[in-house]
């Protein structure tokens, strides 16, 4: 069962001290949602609220994410939400390449268990983890297929980060417009 596998993996993750981020955070934030989700959202890193509560996207950006999910008639329980690194960087600085590399096997294992039909990347850190050559200003709102030796062929849909769009009217409208395309991307992925 996916649920048991994911719970076991996330429990192992809670004890992780593999990179320096573990020194500055209150707790590891593995991720949350359905182990059988068709859509997996991947953000950047836990922030202050996430670090306190042990869950992803529970602050202002998370509220905005919930609102956008509601527009496409989904709840956060229907999807899976994770981050590129599972521990909060001090002062919310960007996670370093080294930290992202060290944390990657956890995300890889989460993806391998959930096997989402689409991975929605939130922000450039998440996008560049899978698609290092892309620029978010050009790639946002587009579906891209890529083969990974460990994961197989995977469809990605790249979005701006909700935190970046929160207080920027133009980006906010673009993000909402892109977000509404998710059901269509999912249907088209179904057709193969
Ligand atoms: N921003 C992220 O990228 N991830 C979270 O979990 C919260 C805010
Ligand atoms: Fe482990 Fe990832 Fe946390 Fe680093 S960020 S300590 S690799 S769980």
């Amino acid at each position: 069962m996916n649920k048991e596998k994911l719970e076991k993996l996330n429990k192992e993750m809670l004890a992780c001290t593999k990179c320096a981020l573990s020194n500055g955070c209150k707790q590891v934030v593995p991720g949350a949602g359905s182990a059988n989700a068709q859509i997996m959202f991947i953000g950047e890193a836990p922030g202050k609220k996430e670090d306190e509560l042990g869950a992803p996207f529970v602050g202002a950006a998370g509220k905005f994410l919930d609102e956008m999910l509601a527009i496409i008639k989904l709840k956060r329980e229907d999807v899976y939400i994770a981050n590129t690194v599972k521990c909060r960087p001090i002062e919310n600085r960007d996670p370093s390449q080294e930290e992202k590399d060290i944390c990657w096997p956890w995300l890889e294992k989460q993806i391998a268990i959930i096997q989402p039909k689409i991975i929605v990347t939130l922000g450039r850190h998440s996008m560049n983890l899978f698609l290092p050559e892309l620029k978010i200003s050009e790639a946002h709102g587009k579906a891209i297929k890529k083969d990974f030796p460990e994961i197989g062929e995977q469809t990605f849909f790249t979005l701006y980060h909700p935190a970046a769009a929160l207080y920027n009217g133009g980006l906010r409208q673009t993000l909402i417009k892109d977000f509404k395309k998710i059901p269509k991307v999912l249907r088209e992925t179904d057709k193969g």
Side-chain angles (χ1 to χ4, degrees):
M1 275 297 287
N2 282 7
K3 191 164 181 281
E4 283 79 29
K5 279 192 209 156
L6 196 62
E7 278 170 4
K8 185 167 173 283
L9 177 72
N10 288 355
K11 212 178 252 176
E12 287 168 29
M13 221 181 290
L14 288 176
C16 179
T17 55
K18 279 194 295 182
C19 87
L21 289 180
S22 64
N23 299 327
C25 70
K26 290 204 172 89
Q27 58 185 319
V28 178
V29 181
S34 165
N36 298 306
Q38 296 190 333
I39 310 172
M40 183 166 179
F41 288 86
I42 303 178
E44 182 183 330
K48 189 165 189 285
K49 200 92 187 242
E50 289 76 22
D51 187 44
E52 274 162 18
L53 298 176
F57 281 96
V58 286
K63 191 163 167 282
F64 184 28
L65 181 61
D66 285 340
E67 284 167 20
M68 289 189 288
L69 283 170
I71 296 176
I72 61 167
K73 306 208 161 32
L74 288 175
K75 296 193 191 65
R76 62 165 63 209
E77 296 78 31
D78 302 323
V79 301
Y80 199 83
I81 307 175
N83 282 302
T84 65
V85 294
K86 318 299 190 195
C87 299
R88 180 196 181 204
I90 292 173
E91 307 291 339
N92 293 348
R93 66 161 168 80
D94 288 352
S96 70
Q97 191 58 49
E98 191 192 356
E99 289 155 356
K100 284 188 277 191
D101 290 344
I102 296 175
C103 204
W104 161 247
W106 291 125
L107 183 58
E108 188 186 7
K109 287 185 187 126
Q110 288 176 312
I111 296 168
I113 292 170
I114 298 166
Q115 295 192 17
K117 285 195 178 142
I118 61 172
I119 289 179
V120 180
T121 59
L122 300 172
R124 79 188 152 85
H125 284 278
S126 171
M127 179 186 77
N128 286 149
L129 192 65
F130 302 99
L131 306 157
E133 68 287 358
L134 296 187
K135 282 204 170 63
I136 192 131
S137 55
E138 292 160 11
H140 74 87
K142 294 190 181 124
I144 299 148
K145 271 192 189 150
K146 186 165 169 178
D147 234 320
F148 282 86
E150 315 85 355
I151 299 167
E153 189 179 77
Q154 179 66 55
T155 299
F156 295 92
F157 187 58
T158 55
L159 295 180
Y160 281 114
H161 196 292
L166 210 48
Y167 305 110
N168 177 325
L171 272 194
R172 192 182 168 94
Q173 288 316 309
T174 304
L175 175 53
I176 293 171
K177 190 163 163 254
D178 289 343
F179 206 96
K180 288 179 181 167
K181 293 183 194 166
I182 291 175
K184 185 161 174 274
V185 175
L186 194 60
R187 280 197 303 277
E188 284 173 359
T189 306
D190 266 340
K191 281 188 224 146

Short mmCIF file of all heavy atoms in Angstrom, two decimals, residues 57-92:
data_model
loop_
_atom_site.label_atom_id
_atom_site.label_comp_id
_atom_site.label_asym_id
_atom_site.label_seq_id
_atom_site.Cartn_x
_atom_site.Cartn_y
_atom_site.Cartn_z
N PHE A 57 3.23 24.38 3.36
CA PHE A 57 2.29 25.39 2.87
C PHE A 57 1.12 25.62 3.84
O PHE A 57 -0.04 25.44 3.48
CB PHE A 57 1.78 25.01 1.47
CG PHE A 57 2.79 25.34 0.39
CD1 PHE A 57 3.65 24.38 -0.09
CD2 PHE A 57 2.88 26.63 -0.12
CE1 PHE A 57 4.61 24.69 -1.07
CE2 PHE A 57 3.83 26.95 -1.09
CZ PHE A 57 4.69 25.97 -1.57
N VAL A 58 1.45 26.01 5.05
CA VAL A 58 0.41 26.33 6.03
C VAL A 58 0.39 27.82 6.39
O VAL A 58 -0.39 28.25 7.23
CB VAL A 58 0.54 25.46 7.32
CG1 VAL A 58 0.08 24.04 7.05
CG2 VAL A 58 1.96 25.46 7.86
N GLY A 59 1.24 28.62 5.75
CA GLY A 59 1.24 30.07 5.97
C GLY A 59 0.43 30.79 4.90
O GLY A 59 -0.49 30.22 4.30
N ALA A 60 0.80 32.04 4.63
CA ALA A 60 0.06 32.87 3.68
C ALA A 60 0.08 32.27 2.27
O ALA A 60 -0.95 32.24 1.58
CB ALA A 60 0.65 34.27 3.66
N ALA A 61 1.24 31.76 1.84
CA ALA A 61 1.33 31.16 0.50
C ALA A 61 0.45 29.91 0.42
O ALA A 61 -0.16 29.62 -0.61
CB ALA A 61 2.79 30.80 0.18
N GLY A 62 0.36 29.19 1.53
CA GLY A 62 -0.46 27.98 1.59
C GLY A 62 -1.94 28.29 1.48
O GLY A 62 -2.70 27.55 0.85
N LYS A 63 -2.34 29.42 2.09
CA LYS A 63 -3.75 29.82 2.02
C LYS A 63 -4.11 30.14 0.56
O LYS A 63 -5.17 29.76 0.06
CB LYS A 63 -3.96 31.05 2.91
CG LYS A 63 -5.38 31.39 3.13
CD LYS A 63 -5.55 32.33 4.32
CE LYS A 63 -6.93 32.91 4.35
NZ LYS A 63 -7.12 34.02 3.39
N PHE A 64 -3.19 30.81 -0.11
CA PHE A 64 -3.39 31.14 -1.53
C PHE A 64 -3.44 29.85 -2.37
O PHE A 64 -4.29 29.71 -3.26
CB PHE A 64 -2.27 32.08 -1.97
CG PHE A 64 -2.39 32.60 -3.38
CD1 PHE A 64 -3.62 32.74 -4.01
CD2 PHE A 64 -1.24 32.96 -4.09
CE1 PHE A 64 -3.71 33.23 -5.32
CE2 PHE A 64 -1.32 33.44 -5.38
CZ PHE A 64 -2.55 33.57 -6.01
N LEU A 65 -2.57 28.91 -2.04
CA LEU A 65 -2.58 27.62 -2.75
C LEU A 65 -3.94 26.92 -2.56
O LEU A 65 -4.52 26.40 -3.52
CB LEU A 65 -1.43 26.74 -2.24
CG LEU A 65 -1.25 25.37 -2.87
CD1 LEU A 65 -0.98 25.46 -4.37
CD2 LEU A 65 -0.11 24.60 -2.20
N ASP A 66 -4.44 26.92 -1.33
CA ASP A 66 -5.77 26.32 -1.05
C ASP A 66 -6.86 27.00 -1.88
O ASP A 66 -7.76 26.33 -2.39
CB ASP A 66 -6.12 26.47 0.44
CG ASP A 66 -5.34 25.49 1.31
OD1 ASP A 66 -4.85 24.48 0.77
OD2 ASP A 66 -5.23 25.75 2.52
N GLU A 67 -6.79 28.33 -1.99
CA GLU A 67 -7.80 29.06 -2.77
C GLU A 67 -7.75 28.64 -4.24
O GLU A 67 -8.79 28.46 -4.88
CB GLU A 67 -7.54 30.57 -2.68
CG GLU A 67 -7.97 31.18 -1.35
CD GLU A 67 -7.42 32.59 -1.15
OE1 GLU A 67 -7.05 33.25 -2.16
OE2 GLU A 67 -7.35 33.02 0.00
N MET A 68 -6.53 28.48 -4.76
CA MET A 68 -6.42 28.08 -6.18
C MET A 68 -6.87 26.63 -6.38
O MET A 68 -7.50 26.32 -7.39
CB MET A 68 -4.98 28.30 -6.67
CG MET A 68 -4.65 29.77 -6.80
SD MET A 68 -3.07 30.06 -7.61
CE MET A 68 -1.94 29.55 -6.33
N LEU A 69 -6.57 25.78 -5.40
CA LEU A 69 -7.05 24.38 -5.49
C LEU A 69 -8.59 24.37 -5.53
O LEU A 69 -9.18 23.61 -6.30
CB LEU A 69 -6.55 23.56 -4.30
CG LEU A 69 -5.09 23.11 -4.36
CD1 LEU A 69 -4.65 22.53 -3.01
CD2 LEU A 69 -4.87 22.07 -5.46
N ALA A 70 -9.20 25.23 -4.71
CA ALA A 70 -10.67 25.29 -4.66
C ALA A 70 -11.25 25.70 -6.02
O ALA A 70 -12.31 25.20 -6.42
CB ALA A 70 -11.13 26.24 -3.56
N ILE A 71 -10.55 26.58 -6.74
CA ILE A 71 -11.03 27.02 -8.06
C ILE A 71 -11.14 25.81 -9.00
O ILE A 71 -12.06 25.71 -9.80
CB ILE A 71 -10.08 28.08 -8.69
CG1 ILE A 71 -10.06 29.35 -7.84
CG2 ILE A 71 -10.51 28.41 -10.13
CD1 ILE A 71 -9.07 30.42 -8.35
N ILE A 72 -10.20 24.87 -8.89
CA ILE A 72 -10.27 23.68 -9.76
C ILE A 72 -10.91 22.50 -9.01
O ILE A 72 -10.72 21.34 -9.36
CB ILE A 72 -8.89 23.31 -10.37
CG1 ILE A 72 -7.84 22.99 -9.31
CG2 ILE A 72 -8.39 24.42 -11.30
CD1 ILE A 72 -6.58 22.32 -9.87
N LYS A 73 -11.66 22.84 -7.96
CA LYS A 73 -12.49 21.87 -7.22
C LYS A 73 -11.68 20.75 -6.57
O LYS A 73 -12.07 19.58 -6.55
CB LYS A 73 -13.58 21.29 -8.13
CG LYS A 73 -14.43 22.35 -8.80
CD LYS A 73 -15.82 21.88 -9.12
CE LYS A 73 -16.80 23.00 -9.35
NZ LYS A 73 -16.26 24.24 -9.94
N LEU A 74 -10.53 21.12 -6.03
CA LEU A 74 -9.72 20.14 -5.30
C LEU A 74 -9.43 20.66 -3.90
O LEU A 74 -9.43 21.87 -3.66
CB LEU A 74 -8.39 19.91 -6.03
CG LEU A 74 -8.42 19.11 -7.33
CD1 LEU A 74 -7.03 19.08 -7.95
CD2 LEU A 74 -8.92 17.69 -7.11
N LYS A 75 -9.21 19.70 -3.00
CA LYS A 75 -8.76 20.04 -1.65
C LYS A 75 -7.33 19.56 -1.50
O LYS A 75 -6.88 18.69 -2.24
CB LYS A 75 -9.63 19.32 -0.62
CG LYS A 75 -11.07 19.72 -0.63
CD LYS A 75 -11.72 19.16 0.64
CE LYS A 75 -13.21 19.28 0.62
NZ LYS A 75 -13.86 18.49 -0.43
N ARG A 76 -6.64 20.08 -0.47
CA ARG A 76 -5.25 19.64 -0.34
C ARG A 76 -5.13 18.14 -0.02
O ARG A 76 -4.12 17.54 -0.31
CB ARG A 76 -4.45 20.51 0.63
CG ARG A 76 -4.90 20.55 2.04
CD ARG A 76 -3.81 21.13 2.92
NE ARG A 76 -3.47 22.52 2.62
CZ ARG A 76 -2.26 23.05 2.82
NH1 ARG A 76 -1.29 22.33 3.31
NH2 ARG A 76 -2.03 24.31 2.55
N GLU A 77 -6.20 17.56 0.53
CA GLU A 77 -6.18 16.11 0.80
C GLU A 77 -6.19 15.28 -0.48
O GLU A 77 -5.88 14.09 -0.46
CB GLU A 77 -7.40 15.70 1.65
CG GLU A 77 -7.46 16.29 3.04
CD GLU A 77 -7.95 17.75 3.06
OE1 GLU A 77 -8.75 18.15 2.20
OE2 GLU A 77 -7.49 18.48 3.95
N ASP A 78 -6.60 15.90 -1.60
CA ASP A 78 -6.68 15.17 -2.88
C ASP A 78 -5.33 15.11 -3.58
O ASP A 78 -5.16 14.33 -4.52
CB ASP A 78 -7.65 15.88 -3.84
CG ASP A 78 -9.04 16.02 -3.26
OD1 ASP A 78 -9.47 15.08 -2.57
OD2 ASP A 78 -9.69 17.06 -3.49
N VAL A 79 -4.41 15.98 -3.19
CA VAL A 79 -3.13 16.08 -3.89
C VAL A 79 -2.01 15.76 -2.89
O VAL A 79 -2.30 15.49 -1.72
CB VAL A 79 -2.93 17.51 -4.48
CG1 VAL A 79 -4.07 17.83 -5.45
CG2 VAL A 79 -2.83 18.57 -3.40
N TYR A 80 -0.76 15.77 -3.37
CA TYR A 80 0.35 15.66 -2.41
C TYR A 80 1.19 16.92 -2.53
O TYR A 80 1.41 17.44 -3.63
CB TYR A 80 1.21 14.41 -2.66
CG TYR A 80 2.02 14.08 -1.41
CD1 TYR A 80 1.45 13.37 -0.37
CD2 TYR A 80 3.33 14.54 -1.27
CE1 TYR A 80 2.15 13.11 0.80
CE2 TYR A 80 4.04 14.28 -0.09
CZ TYR A 80 3.44 13.56 0.93
OH TYR A 80 4.13 13.32 2.09
N ILE A 81 1.63 17.42 -1.39
CA ILE A 81 2.42 18.66 -1.36
C ILE A 81 3.73 18.41 -0.64
O ILE A 81 3.76 17.91 0.49
CB ILE A 81 1.65 19.80 -0.64
CG1 ILE A 81 0.25 19.99 -1.24
CG2 ILE A 81 2.44 21.10 -0.72
CD1 ILE A 81 -0.62 21.00 -0.51
N ALA A 82 4.84 18.71 -1.34
CA ALA A 82 6.17 18.52 -0.73
C ALA A 82 7.06 19.69 -1.13
O ALA A 82 6.61 20.63 -1.80
CB ALA A 82 6.77 17.19 -1.18
N ASN A 83 8.30 19.63 -0.72
CA ASN A 83 9.25 20.70 -1.02
C ASN A 83 10.59 20.11 -1.49
O ASN A 83 10.86 18.94 -1.25
CB ASN A 83 9.50 21.54 0.24
CG ASN A 83 8.38 22.52 0.52
OD1 ASN A 83 8.06 23.37 -0.31
ND2 ASN A 83 7.77 22.40 1.69
N THR A 84 11.41 20.97 -2.13
CA THR A 84 12.72 20.48 -2.62
C THR A 84 13.64 20.13 -1.45
O THR A 84 14.42 19.20 -1.54
CB THR A 84 13.44 21.51 -3.52
OG1 THR A 84 13.77 22.67 -2.75
CG2 THR A 84 12.59 21.93 -4.70
N VAL A 85 13.58 20.91 -0.38
CA VAL A 85 14.28 20.52 0.87
C VAL A 85 13.25 20.49 1.98
O VAL A 85 12.26 21.23 1.95
CB VAL A 85 15.45 21.48 1.24
CG1 VAL A 85 16.57 21.40 0.22
CG2 VAL A 85 14.97 22.91 1.42
N LYS A 86 13.48 19.62 2.94
CA LYS A 86 12.45 19.36 3.96
C LYS A 86 12.67 20.13 5.25
O LYS A 86 11.87 20.01 6.18
CB LYS A 86 12.40 17.86 4.28
CG LYS A 86 12.50 16.93 3.09
CD LYS A 86 11.36 17.13 2.12
CE LYS A 86 11.35 16.03 1.08
NZ LYS A 86 10.49 16.37 -0.06
N CYS A 87 13.78 20.87 5.34
CA CYS A 87 14.04 21.65 6.56
C CYS A 87 14.12 23.12 6.22
O CYS A 87 14.62 23.49 5.15
CB CYS A 87 15.35 21.19 7.21
SG CYS A 87 15.30 19.46 7.70
N ARG A 88 13.69 23.97 7.16
CA ARG A 88 13.63 25.41 6.91
C ARG A 88 15.03 26.04 6.92
O ARG A 88 15.75 25.94 7.92
CB ARG A 88 12.80 26.08 7.99
CG ARG A 88 12.71 27.57 7.77
CD ARG A 88 12.23 28.31 8.99
NE ARG A 88 12.15 29.73 8.68
CZ ARG A 88 12.20 30.69 9.57
NH1 ARG A 88 12.33 30.40 10.85
NH2 ARG A 88 12.13 31.94 9.20
N PRO A 89 15.41 26.70 5.83
CA PRO A 89 16.66 27.45 5.87
C PRO A 89 16.50 28.67 6.80
O PRO A 89 15.46 29.34 6.76
CB PRO A 89 16.87 27.90 4.42
CG PRO A 89 15.96 27.03 3.60
CD PRO A 89 14.80 26.73 4.50
N ILE A 90 17.51 28.93 7.62
CA ILE A 90 17.46 30.07 8.55
C ILE A 90 17.19 31.35 7.77
O ILE A 90 17.75 31.56 6.69
CB ILE A 90 18.79 30.15 9.33
CG1 ILE A 90 18.90 28.94 10.26
CG2 ILE A 90 18.88 31.44 10.14
CD1 ILE A 90 20.24 28.82 10.95
N GLU A 91 16.34 32.22 8.33
CA GLU A 91 15.96 33.50 7.71
C GLU A 91 15.32 33.31 6.33
O GLU A 91 15.34 34.23 5.50
CB GLU A 91 17.17 34.44 7.56
CG GLU A 91 17.96 34.70 8.84
CD GLU A 91 17.19 35.52 9.86
OE1 GLU A 91 16.23 36.22 9.46
OE2 GLU A 91 17.51 35.43 11.06
N ASN A 92 14.82 32.11 6.06
CA ASN A 92 14.19 31.81 4.76
C ASN A 92 15.10 32.08 3.57
O ASN A 92 14.64 32.44 2.49
CB ASN A 92 12.90 32.61 4.57
CG ASN A 92 11.82 32.19 5.53
OD1 ASN A 92 11.93 31.16 6.20
ND2 ASN A 92 10.76 32.97 5.62
#
